[in-house]
Structures are given as structure tokens and as C-alpha cells.
Amino acid sequence: MLKDNLLSVKENIEDAAKKAGRDVNDITLIAVSKTKPVEMIKEIYDLGVRDFGENKVQELVAKYDLLPDDIKWHLIGHLQTNKVKYIIDKVYMIHSVDSVKLAKEISKEAVKRGITVNILIEVNVAGEESKYGVSPDELTETVKEVAALPGICIRGLMTVAPYVVDSEENRTIFVKMKQFVVDIIQKNINNVYMDCLSMGMSGDYTVAVEEGATYIRVGTSIFGERNYK
Ligand SMILES: *Cc1c(COP(=O)(O)O)cnc(C)c1O
């Protein structure tokens, strides 16, 4: 069953890429495994997936110890500064950098360990009160401040789009995100690469691919509904 889910997600990604004239190899599927047991993750791993996403530090650390070490772990949920030290040497990328304060903590811990950490700046495009992320107004200034920190490499932007029934409703958000990337590239800021754009979830990833996502984060469509009890 998981295999069928994965194959159909991959097929949809291919179709969306083709429709947009994009190379499917420029799009990486992150299987969002939060709340799901390691057995299920292993099943998806055995089908060739190497990128997995978790939104909680404790859960990521627990799974990290039990699963193969060629997995690229992506932290996609809000990160508290006091927890940075637990995941800094375990994650491939932190998608959810939503403040300069958090970036400073990541920088401090990275320097301590002599590593460079790949991060994305999370943008709250729709200005939703319930969501984390910097506002579009603060984006350039935030990117500049974070780029100046040692031990950090800004690889791009991330957004969690609103929950919608019709995925088309999020198209303008994805278009805006792509435009932010283009605008920032033009500013030529040192230590800013902008080769990554993380957007699109189970409900809207095909639209995100059409509009330029390089990382899509898909949980439910691969692993099934989550049970939070
Ligand atoms: C849970 C989560 C996802 C995956 O959501 P689905 O709708 O299950 O695909 C993607 N991104 C973030 C930040 C998440 O927390």
C-alpha cells in the first residue's frame, strides 16, 4: 500500500514537471514521516527514498538513532533555540528558520562543532497569524543578517501555505515565493545561494512543482492520515 502511494506521488510529480517544462531531477520529494513508526519509514527507505522530514526535535533524534545513516533528515517544524544543539549535527537541512535569533543560535552551535549548516528562511507569505515565518516585508533584511553569520549557508526559502480544499488557491502564494527567490538572487548577497525552494504538501504539491518548488514535503499522501492520539 505504501508502495502504491509513493508511486502515485512520484507519477504526479513527473506529470507536473513535464507540464511546466521542468527537469524532474530538480525536484526532491521529502517524505514527511512525523508520527509514523520506523517500520513504515524503513519501507519507504527500501523503495529508494532518502530524504525524510520531521517537525519535532525529540522525534527526529529518536528515529535518527534507529534508521540508516545515509538518510537526509530535514527539520521542517518550528525550532526552539534551546533545542538546536540536539539536532545540529543530525540534520541535512533546517527548513524552518523563522528569526534572526534562531539563526544566531544555529550559527553559535555550528561554529562550536566546526560545521556549516544548510538552512532555509521560512516565509509567512499569506500573513497567517497561526503560522511561523518572517513576513515578506522583513525578508530581505533577515536574509542579509543571517547570511553574515558564520557556520550557516542560506540555501533558499520555505513556506507552509494555507490549508485549502482547492490547490489552485495556493498558486499565487507559490508564484510569490518563486519571485522572492528571483529578487534575492538579484541582490547578490554573499553566502546566499537560493538554489532551494521548499513548498507544497499533500494537498497542493503538484501546483508547487509547476511553480518552481525544488523540495516538496509530502506526508499524508505517502503514509496515510496521522493519528495524534
Ligand atoms: C506535516 C507537514 C507537512 C506534510 O503535510 P501533509 O499534508 O501530510 O503532506 C509538510 N510540511 C510541514 C511543515 C509539515 O509540518
PDB file of all heavy atoms in Angstrom, residues 35-67:
ATOM      1  N   THR A  35       5.016  11.372  13.305  1.00  0.00           N
ATOM      2  CA  THR A  35       4.040  10.481  13.980  1.00  0.00           C
ATOM      3  C   THR A  35       4.072   9.036  13.455  1.00  0.00           C
ATOM      4  O   THR A  35       3.417   8.162  14.005  1.00  0.00           O
ATOM      5  CB  THR A  35       2.555  10.975  13.907  1.00  0.00           C
ATOM      6  OG1 THR A  35       2.022  10.689  12.617  1.00  0.00           O
ATOM      7  CG2 THR A  35       2.442  12.444  14.232  1.00  0.00           C
ATOM      8  N   LYS A  36       4.812   8.776  12.395  1.00  0.00           N
ATOM      9  CA  LYS A  36       4.810   7.427  11.797  1.00  0.00           C
ATOM     10  C   LYS A  36       5.983   6.595  12.331  1.00  0.00           C
ATOM     11  O   LYS A  36       7.075   7.120  12.559  1.00  0.00           O
ATOM     12  CB  LYS A  36       4.892   7.534  10.281  1.00  0.00           C
ATOM     13  CG  LYS A  36       3.724   8.287   9.654  1.00  0.00           C
ATOM     14  CD  LYS A  36       2.406   7.583   9.901  1.00  0.00           C
ATOM     15  CE  LYS A  36       1.237   8.370   9.305  1.00  0.00           C
ATOM     16  NZ  LYS A  36      -0.069   7.717   9.568  1.00  0.00           N
ATOM     17  N   PRO A  37       5.754   5.295  12.510  1.00  0.00           N
ATOM     18  CA  PRO A  37       6.781   4.433  13.105  1.00  0.00           C
ATOM     19  C   PRO A  37       7.946   4.147  12.162  1.00  0.00           C
ATOM     20  O   PRO A  37       7.811   4.259  10.934  1.00  0.00           O
ATOM     21  CB  PRO A  37       6.024   3.137  13.403  1.00  0.00           C
ATOM     22  CG  PRO A  37       4.890   3.127  12.435  1.00  0.00           C
ATOM     23  CD  PRO A  37       4.519   4.563  12.200  1.00  0.00           C
ATOM     24  N   VAL A  38       9.070   3.748  12.742  1.00  0.00           N
ATOM     25  CA  VAL A  38      10.274   3.493  11.939  1.00  0.00           C
ATOM     26  C   VAL A  38      10.066   2.377  10.912  1.00  0.00           C
ATOM     27  O   VAL A  38      10.676   2.402   9.849  1.00  0.00           O
ATOM     28  CB  VAL A  38      11.516   3.157  12.815  1.00  0.00           C
ATOM     29  CG1 VAL A  38      11.979   4.369  13.585  1.00  0.00           C
ATOM     30  CG2 VAL A  38      11.261   2.005  13.731  1.00  0.00           C
ATOM     31  N   GLU A  39       9.169   1.422  11.209  1.00  0.00           N
ATOM     32  CA  GLU A  39       8.921   0.344  10.237  1.00  0.00           C
ATOM     33  C   GLU A  39       8.397   0.910   8.918  1.00  0.00           C
ATOM     34  O   GLU A  39       8.781   0.460   7.839  1.00  0.00           O
ATOM     35  CB  GLU A  39       7.894  -0.673  10.776  1.00  0.00           C
ATOM     36  CG  GLU A  39       8.342  -1.472  11.989  1.00  0.00           C
ATOM     37  CD  GLU A  39       8.353  -0.653  13.281  1.00  0.00           C
ATOM     38  OE1 GLU A  39       7.537   0.286  13.405  1.00  0.00           O
ATOM     39  OE2 GLU A  39       9.206  -0.937  14.146  1.00  0.00           O
ATOM     40  N   MET A  40       7.504   1.880   9.034  1.00  0.00           N
ATOM     41  CA  MET A  40       6.953   2.486   7.812  1.00  0.00           C
ATOM     42  C   MET A  40       8.028   3.301   7.082  1.00  0.00           C
ATOM     43  O   MET A  40       8.094   3.305   5.855  1.00  0.00           O
ATOM     44  CB  MET A  40       5.756   3.382   8.156  1.00  0.00           C
ATOM     45  CG  MET A  40       4.498   2.616   8.499  1.00  0.00           C
ATOM     46  SD  MET A  40       3.158   3.733   9.007  1.00  0.00           S
ATOM     47  CE  MET A  40       2.259   3.886   7.466  1.00  0.00           C
ATOM     48  N   ILE A  41       8.842   3.980   7.850  1.00  0.00           N
ATOM     49  CA  ILE A  41       9.917   4.776   7.233  1.00  0.00           C
ATOM     50  C   ILE A  41      10.874   3.839   6.490  1.00  0.00           C
ATOM     51  O   ILE A  41      11.295   4.111   5.370  1.00  0.00           O
ATOM     52  CB  ILE A  41      10.673   5.597   8.308  1.00  0.00           C
ATOM     53  CG1 ILE A  41       9.695   6.537   9.017  1.00  0.00           C
ATOM     54  CG2 ILE A  41      11.830   6.373   7.684  1.00  0.00           C
ATOM     55  CD1 ILE A  41      10.311   7.342  10.146  1.00  0.00           C
ATOM     56  N   LYS A  42      11.177   2.709   7.132  1.00  0.00           N
ATOM     57  CA  LYS A  42      12.080   1.728   6.531  1.00  0.00           C
ATOM     58  C   LYS A  42      11.518   1.217   5.200  1.00  0.00           C
ATOM     59  O   LYS A  42      12.258   1.015   4.234  1.00  0.00           O
ATOM     60  CB  LYS A  42      12.314   0.564   7.518  1.00  0.00           C
ATOM     61  CG  LYS A  42      13.454  -0.357   7.155  1.00  0.00           C
ATOM     62  CD  LYS A  42      14.783   0.335   7.285  1.00  0.00           C
ATOM     63  CE  LYS A  42      15.976  -0.371   6.653  1.00  0.00           C
ATOM     64  NZ  LYS A  42      15.859  -1.724   6.171  1.00  0.00           N
ATOM     65  N   GLU A  43      10.211   1.021   5.176  1.00  0.00           N
ATOM     66  CA  GLU A  43       9.563   0.544   3.955  1.00  0.00           C
ATOM     67  C   GLU A  43       9.749   1.551   2.804  1.00  0.00           C
ATOM     68  O   GLU A  43      10.058   1.172   1.676  1.00  0.00           O
ATOM     69  CB  GLU A  43       8.067   0.345   4.249  1.00  0.00           C
ATOM     70  CG  GLU A  43       7.385  -0.615   3.296  1.00  0.00           C
ATOM     71  CD  GLU A  43       5.929  -0.873   3.702  1.00  0.00           C
ATOM     72  OE1 GLU A  43       5.623  -0.943   4.915  1.00  0.00           O
ATOM     73  OE2 GLU A  43       5.097  -1.003   2.785  1.00  0.00           O
ATOM     74  N   ILE A  44       9.570   2.818   3.126  1.00  0.00           N
ATOM     75  CA  ILE A  44       9.739   3.860   2.105  1.00  0.00           C
ATOM     76  C   ILE A  44      11.222   4.002   1.741  1.00  0.00           C
ATOM     77  O   ILE A  44      11.582   4.183   0.574  1.00  0.00           O
ATOM     78  CB  ILE A  44       9.149   5.203   2.617  1.00  0.00           C
ATOM     79  CG1 ILE A  44       7.629   5.100   2.751  1.00  0.00           C
ATOM     80  CG2 ILE A  44       9.521   6.360   1.693  1.00  0.00           C
ATOM     81  CD1 ILE A  44       6.882   4.848   1.458  1.00  0.00           C
ATOM     82  N   TYR A  45      12.067   3.873   2.737  1.00  0.00           N
ATOM     83  CA  TYR A  45      13.519   3.909   2.508  1.00  0.00           C
ATOM     84  C   TYR A  45      13.921   2.799   1.525  1.00  0.00           C
ATOM     85  O   TYR A  45      14.678   3.026   0.585  1.00  0.00           O
ATOM     86  CB  TYR A  45      14.249   3.735   3.839  1.00  0.00           C
ATOM     87  CG  TYR A  45      15.756   3.614   3.727  1.00  0.00           C
ATOM     88  CD1 TYR A  45      16.570   4.745   3.799  1.00  0.00           C
ATOM     89  CD2 TYR A  45      16.372   2.368   3.552  1.00  0.00           C
ATOM     90  CE1 TYR A  45      17.946   4.650   3.690  1.00  0.00           C
ATOM     91  CE2 TYR A  45      17.746   2.258   3.440  1.00  0.00           C
ATOM     92  CZ  TYR A  45      18.532   3.393   3.516  1.00  0.00           C
ATOM     93  OH  TYR A  45      19.892   3.285   3.405  1.00  0.00           O
ATOM     94  N   ASP A  46      13.386   1.611   1.744  1.00  0.00           N
ATOM     95  CA  ASP A  46      13.732   0.471   0.881  1.00  0.00           C
ATOM     96  C   ASP A  46      13.232   0.657  -0.556  1.00  0.00           C
ATOM     97  O   ASP A  46      13.692  -0.030  -1.460  1.00  0.00           O
ATOM     98  CB  ASP A  46      13.172  -0.831   1.471  1.00  0.00           C
ATOM     99  CG  ASP A  46      13.950  -1.278   2.700  1.00  0.00           C
ATOM    100  OD1 ASP A  46      15.126  -0.857   2.845  1.00  0.00           O
ATOM    101  OD2 ASP A  46      13.399  -2.031   3.536  1.00  0.00           O
ATOM    102  N   LEU A  47      12.307   1.574  -0.745  1.00  0.00           N
ATOM    103  CA  LEU A  47      11.832   1.886  -2.098  1.00  0.00           C
ATOM    104  C   LEU A  47      12.656   3.008  -2.728  1.00  0.00           C
ATOM    105  O   LEU A  47      12.329   3.506  -3.795  1.00  0.00           O
ATOM    106  CB  LEU A  47      10.354   2.268  -2.056  1.00  0.00           C
ATOM    107  CG  LEU A  47       9.404   1.129  -1.652  1.00  0.00           C
ATOM    108  CD1 LEU A  47       8.029   1.662  -1.258  1.00  0.00           C
ATOM    109  CD2 LEU A  47       9.265   0.119  -2.797  1.00  0.00           C
ATOM    110  N   GLY A  48      13.709   3.418  -2.028  1.00  0.00           N
ATOM    111  CA  GLY A  48      14.655   4.351  -2.638  1.00  0.00           C
ATOM    112  C   GLY A  48      14.628   5.777  -2.120  1.00  0.00           C
ATOM    113  O   GLY A  48      15.460   6.592  -2.500  1.00  0.00           O
ATOM    114  N   VAL A  49      13.683   6.101  -1.250  1.00  0.00           N
ATOM    115  CA  VAL A  49      13.613   7.478  -0.734  1.00  0.00           C
ATOM    116  C   VAL A  49      14.710   7.675   0.317  1.00  0.00           C
ATOM    117  O   VAL A  49      14.935   6.804   1.168  1.00  0.00           O
ATOM    118  CB  VAL A  49      12.221   7.768  -0.131  1.00  0.00           C
ATOM    119  CG1 VAL A  49      12.180   9.147   0.516  1.00  0.00           C
ATOM    120  CG2 VAL A  49      11.147   7.660  -1.207  1.00  0.00           C
ATOM    121  N   ARG A  50      15.413   8.794   0.242  1.00  0.00           N
ATOM    122  CA  ARG A  50      16.484   9.086   1.208  1.00  0.00           C
ATOM    123  C   ARG A  50      16.246  10.371   1.985  1.00  0.00           C
ATOM    124  O   ARG A  50      16.951  10.644   2.948  1.00  0.00           O
ATOM    125  CB  ARG A  50      17.839   9.176   0.481  1.00  0.00           C
ATOM    126  CG  ARG A  50      18.333   7.835  -0.052  1.00  0.00           C
ATOM    127  CD  ARG A  50      18.612   6.851   1.079  1.00  0.00           C
ATOM    128  NE  ARG A  50      19.004   5.533   0.598  1.00  0.00           N
ATOM    129  CZ  ARG A  50      18.156   4.540   0.330  1.00  0.00           C
ATOM    130  NH1 ARG A  50      16.845   4.716   0.503  1.00  0.00           N
ATOM    131  NH2 ARG A  50      18.596   3.375  -0.100  1.00  0.00           N
ATOM    132  N   ASP A  51      15.284  11.169   1.565  1.00  0.00           N
ATOM    133  CA  ASP A  51      15.001  12.436   2.241  1.00  0.00           C
ATOM    134  C   ASP A  51      13.731  12.290   3.076  1.00  0.00           C
ATOM    135  O   ASP A  51      12.661  11.980   2.540  1.00  0.00           O
ATOM    136  CB  ASP A  51      14.828  13.576   1.225  1.00  0.00           C
ATOM    137  CG  ASP A  51      16.134  13.900   0.511  1.00  0.00           C
ATOM    138  OD1 ASP A  51      16.469  13.188  -0.461  1.00  0.00           O
ATOM    139  OD2 ASP A  51      16.823  14.847   0.952  1.00  0.00           O
ATOM    140  N   PHE A  52      13.860  12.512   4.380  1.00  0.00           N
ATOM    141  CA  PHE A  52      12.712  12.417   5.273  1.00  0.00           C
ATOM    142  C   PHE A  52      12.578  13.690   6.094  1.00  0.00           C
ATOM    143  O   PHE A  52      13.587  14.325   6.437  1.00  0.00           O
ATOM    144  CB  PHE A  52      12.845  11.196   6.197  1.00  0.00           C
ATOM    145  CG  PHE A  52      12.666   9.886   5.462  1.00  0.00           C
ATOM    146  CD1 PHE A  52      13.746   9.264   4.854  1.00  0.00           C
ATOM    147  CD2 PHE A  52      11.412   9.303   5.351  1.00  0.00           C
ATOM    148  CE1 PHE A  52      13.583   8.066   4.149  1.00  0.00           C
ATOM    149  CE2 PHE A  52      11.238   8.114   4.651  1.00  0.00           C
ATOM    150  CZ  PHE A  52      12.319   7.487   4.056  1.00  0.00           C
ATOM    151  N   GLY A  53      11.342  14.056   6.402  1.00  0.00           N
ATOM    152  CA  GLY A  53      11.085  15.283   7.149  1.00  0.00           C
ATOM    153  C   GLY A  53      10.400  15.005   8.467  1.00  0.00           C
ATOM    154  O   GLY A  53       9.487  14.182   8.547  1.00  0.00           O
ATOM    155  N   GLU A  54      10.852  15.692   9.505  1.00  0.00           N
ATOM    156  CA  GLU A  54      10.223  15.603  10.825  1.00  0.00           C
ATOM    157  C   GLU A  54      10.018  17.026  11.334  1.00  0.00           C
ATOM    158  O   GLU A  54      10.783  17.933  10.997  1.00  0.00           O
ATOM    159  CB  GLU A  54      11.121  14.825  11.796  1.00  0.00           C
ATOM    160  CG  GLU A  54      11.215  13.338  11.503  1.00  0.00           C
ATOM    161  CD  GLU A  54       9.965  12.550  11.916  1.00  0.00           C
ATOM    162  OE1 GLU A  54       9.180  13.053  12.749  1.00  0.00           O
ATOM    163  OE2 GLU A  54       9.766  11.435  11.385  1.00  0.00           O
ATOM    164  N   ASN A  55       9.004  17.210  12.182  1.00  0.00           N
ATOM    165  CA  ASN A  55       8.774  18.568  12.679  1.00  0.00           C
ATOM    166  C   ASN A  55       9.094  18.723  14.170  1.00  0.00           C
ATOM    167  O   ASN A  55       9.008  19.808  14.707  1.00  0.00           O
ATOM    168  CB  ASN A  55       7.344  19.029  12.379  1.00  0.00           C
ATOM    169  CG  ASN A  55       6.304  18.250  13.139  1.00  0.00           C
ATOM    170  OD1 ASN A  55       6.577  17.121  13.574  1.00  0.00           O
ATOM    171  ND2 ASN A  55       5.141  18.819  13.326  1.00  0.00           N
ATOM    172  N   LYS A  56       9.451  17.603  14.833  1.00  0.00           N
ATOM    173  CA  LYS A  56       9.783  17.703  16.260  1.00  0.00           C
ATOM    174  C   LYS A  56      11.188  17.165  16.528  1.00  0.00           C
ATOM    175  O   LYS A  56      11.566  16.090  16.046  1.00  0.00           O
ATOM    176  CB  LYS A  56       8.778  16.916  17.088  1.00  0.00           C
ATOM    177  CG  LYS A  56       7.374  17.504  17.065  1.00  0.00           C
ATOM    178  CD  LYS A  56       6.648  17.199  18.367  1.00  0.00           C
ATOM    179  CE  LYS A  56       5.452  18.097  18.580  1.00  0.00           C
ATOM    180  NZ  LYS A  56       4.324  17.766  17.696  1.00  0.00           N
ATOM    181  N   VAL A  57      11.928  17.925  17.322  1.00  0.00           N
ATOM    182  CA  VAL A  57      13.319  17.588  17.608  1.00  0.00           C
ATOM    183  C   VAL A  57      13.449  16.206  18.253  1.00  0.00           C
ATOM    184  O   VAL A  57      14.242  15.370  17.818  1.00  0.00           O
ATOM    185  CB  VAL A  57      13.957  18.673  18.501  1.00  0.00           C
ATOM    186  CG1 VAL A  57      15.270  18.200  19.109  1.00  0.00           C
ATOM    187  CG2 VAL A  57      14.160  19.953  17.696  1.00  0.00           C
ATOM    188  N   GLN A  58      12.649  15.980  19.275  1.00  0.00           N
ATOM    189  CA  GLN A  58      12.741  14.723  20.016  1.00  0.00           C
ATOM    190  C   GLN A  58      12.477  13.512  19.127  1.00  0.00           C
ATOM    191  O   GLN A  58      13.170  12.490  19.198  1.00  0.00           O
ATOM    192  CB  GLN A  58      11.714  14.742  21.143  1.00  0.00           C
ATOM    193  CG  GLN A  58      12.202  14.088  22.404  1.00  0.00           C
ATOM    194  CD  GLN A  58      11.159  14.161  23.510  1.00  0.00           C
ATOM    195  OE1 GLN A  58      10.186  14.916  23.416  1.00  0.00           O
ATOM    196  NE2 GLN A  58      11.352  13.394  24.549  1.00  0.00           N
ATOM    197  N   GLU A  59      11.480  13.652  18.277  1.00  0.00           N
ATOM    198  CA  GLU A  59      11.096  12.551  17.387  1.00  0.00           C
ATOM    199  C   GLU A  59      12.185  12.302  16.340  1.00  0.00           C
ATOM    200  O   GLU A  59      12.526  11.151  16.049  1.00  0.00           O
ATOM    201  CB  GLU A  59       9.764  12.910  16.716  1.00  0.00           C
ATOM    202  CG  GLU A  59       9.111  11.739  16.008  1.00  0.00           C
ATOM    203  CD  GLU A  59       7.701  12.084  15.513  1.00  0.00           C
ATOM    204  OE1 GLU A  59       7.102  13.077  15.982  1.00  0.00           O
ATOM    205  OE2 GLU A  59       7.209  11.346  14.643  1.00  0.00           O
ATOM    206  N   LEU A  60      12.740  13.375  15.826  1.00  0.00           N
ATOM    207  CA  LEU A  60      13.806  13.229  14.835  1.00  0.00           C
ATOM    208  C   LEU A  60      15.010  12.506  15.441  1.00  0.00           C
ATOM    209  O   LEU A  60      15.561  11.574  14.848  1.00  0.00           O
ATOM    210  CB  LEU A  60      14.211  14.604  14.288  1.00  0.00           C
ATOM    211  CG  LEU A  60      15.140  14.624  13.068  1.00  0.00           C
ATOM    212  CD1 LEU A  60      14.931  15.890  12.252  1.00  0.00           C
ATOM    213  CD2 LEU A  60      16.616  14.494  13.432  1.00  0.00           C
ATOM    214  N   VAL A  61      15.389  12.936  16.640  1.00  0.00           N
ATOM    215  CA  VAL A  61      16.557  12.334  17.300  1.00  0.00           C
ATOM    216  C   VAL A  61      16.333  10.845  17.568  1.00  0.00           C
ATOM    217  O   VAL A  61      17.220  10.017  17.334  1.00  0.00           O
ATOM    218  CB  VAL A  61      16.875  13.089  18.617  1.00  0.00           C
ATOM    219  CG1 VAL A  61      17.911  12.345  19.438  1.00  0.00           C
ATOM    220  CG2 VAL A  61      17.359  14.509  18.304  1.00  0.00           C
ATOM    221  N   ALA A  62      15.134  10.497  18.024  1.00  0.00           N
ATOM    222  CA  ALA A  62      14.823   9.095  18.324  1.00  0.00           C
ATOM    223  C   ALA A  62      14.889   8.244  17.060  1.00  0.00           C
ATOM    224  O   ALA A  62      15.459   7.142  17.053  1.00  0.00           O
ATOM    225  CB  ALA A  62      13.441   8.993  18.951  1.00  0.00           C
ATOM    226  N   LYS A  63      14.339   8.739  15.966  1.00  0.00           N
ATOM    227  CA  LYS A  63      14.324   7.985  14.710  1.00  0.00           C
ATOM    228  C   LYS A  63      15.715   7.927  14.082  1.00  0.00           C
ATOM    229  O   LYS A  63      16.082   6.922  13.475  1.00  0.00           O
ATOM    230  CB  LYS A  63      13.307   8.604  13.746  1.00  0.00           C
ATOM    231  CG  LYS A  63      11.874   8.340  14.154  1.00  0.00           C
ATOM    232  CD  LYS A  63      10.880   9.109  13.296  1.00  0.00           C
ATOM    233  CE  LYS A  63       9.445   8.708  13.672  1.00  0.00           C
ATOM    234  NZ  LYS A  63       8.457   9.560  12.969  1.00  0.00           N
ATOM    235  N   TYR A  64      16.443   9.002  14.234  1.00  0.00           N
ATOM    236  CA  TYR A  64      17.805   9.087  13.688  1.00  0.00           C
ATOM    237  C   TYR A  64      18.649   7.902  14.158  1.00  0.00           C
ATOM    238  O   TYR A  64      19.380   7.289  13.380  1.00  0.00           O
ATOM    239  CB  TYR A  64      18.435  10.404  14.140  1.00  0.00           C
ATOM    240  CG  TYR A  64      19.856  10.617  13.698  1.00  0.00           C
ATOM    241  CD1 TYR A  64      20.150  11.292  12.514  1.00  0.00           C
ATOM    242  CD2 TYR A  64      20.932  10.162  14.471  1.00  0.00           C
ATOM    243  CE1 TYR A  64      21.454  11.501  12.105  1.00  0.00           C
ATOM    244  CE2 TYR A  64      22.245  10.361  14.066  1.00  0.00           C
ATOM    245  CZ  TYR A  64      22.495  11.031  12.888  1.00  0.00           C
ATOM    246  OH  TYR A  64      23.793  11.237  12.490  1.00  0.00           O
ATOM    247  N   ASP A  65      18.525   7.587  15.425  1.00  0.00           N
ATOM    248  CA  ASP A  65      19.327   6.514  16.006  1.00  0.00           C
ATOM    249  C   ASP A  65      18.939   5.129  15.500  1.00  0.00           C
ATOM    250  O   ASP A  65      19.730   4.197  15.557  1.00  0.00           O
ATOM    251  CB  ASP A  65      19.209   6.537  17.538  1.00  0.00           C
ATOM    252  CG  ASP A  65      20.025   7.662  18.142  1.00  0.00           C
ATOM    253  OD1 ASP A  65      20.988   8.105  17.481  1.00  0.00           O
ATOM    254  OD2 ASP A  65      19.695   8.119  19.254  1.00  0.00           O
ATOM    255  N   LEU A  66      17.713   4.987  15.020  1.00  0.00           N
ATOM    256  CA  LEU A  66      17.205   3.667  14.641  1.00  0.00           C
ATOM    257  C   LEU A  66      17.243   3.392  13.144  1.00  0.00           C
ATOM    258  O   LEU A  66      16.957   2.279  12.704  1.00  0.00           O
ATOM    259  CB  LEU A  66      15.750   3.522  15.124  1.00  0.00           C
ATOM    260  CG  LEU A  66      15.535   3.610  16.636  1.00  0.00           C
ATOM    261  CD1 LEU A  66      14.050   3.715  16.955  1.00  0.00           C
ATOM    262  CD2 LEU A  66      16.155   2.410  17.341  1.00  0.00           C
ATOM    263  N   LEU A  67      17.587   4.406  12.358  1.00  0.00           N
ATOM    264  CA  LEU A  67      17.490   4.251  10.903  1.00  0.00           C
ATOM    265  C   LEU A  67      18.841   4.459  10.214  1.00  0.00           C
ATOM    266  O   LEU A  67      19.767   5.002  10.809  1.00  0.00           O
ATOM    267  CB  LEU A  67      16.434   5.228  10.372  1.00  0.00           C
ATOM    268  CG  LEU A  67      14.993   4.776  10.689  1.00  0.00           C
ATOM    269  CD1 LEU A  67      14.029   5.941  10.747  1.00  0.00           C
ATOM    270  CD2 LEU A  67      14.524   3.719   9.684  1.00  0.00           C
TER     271      LEU A  67
END
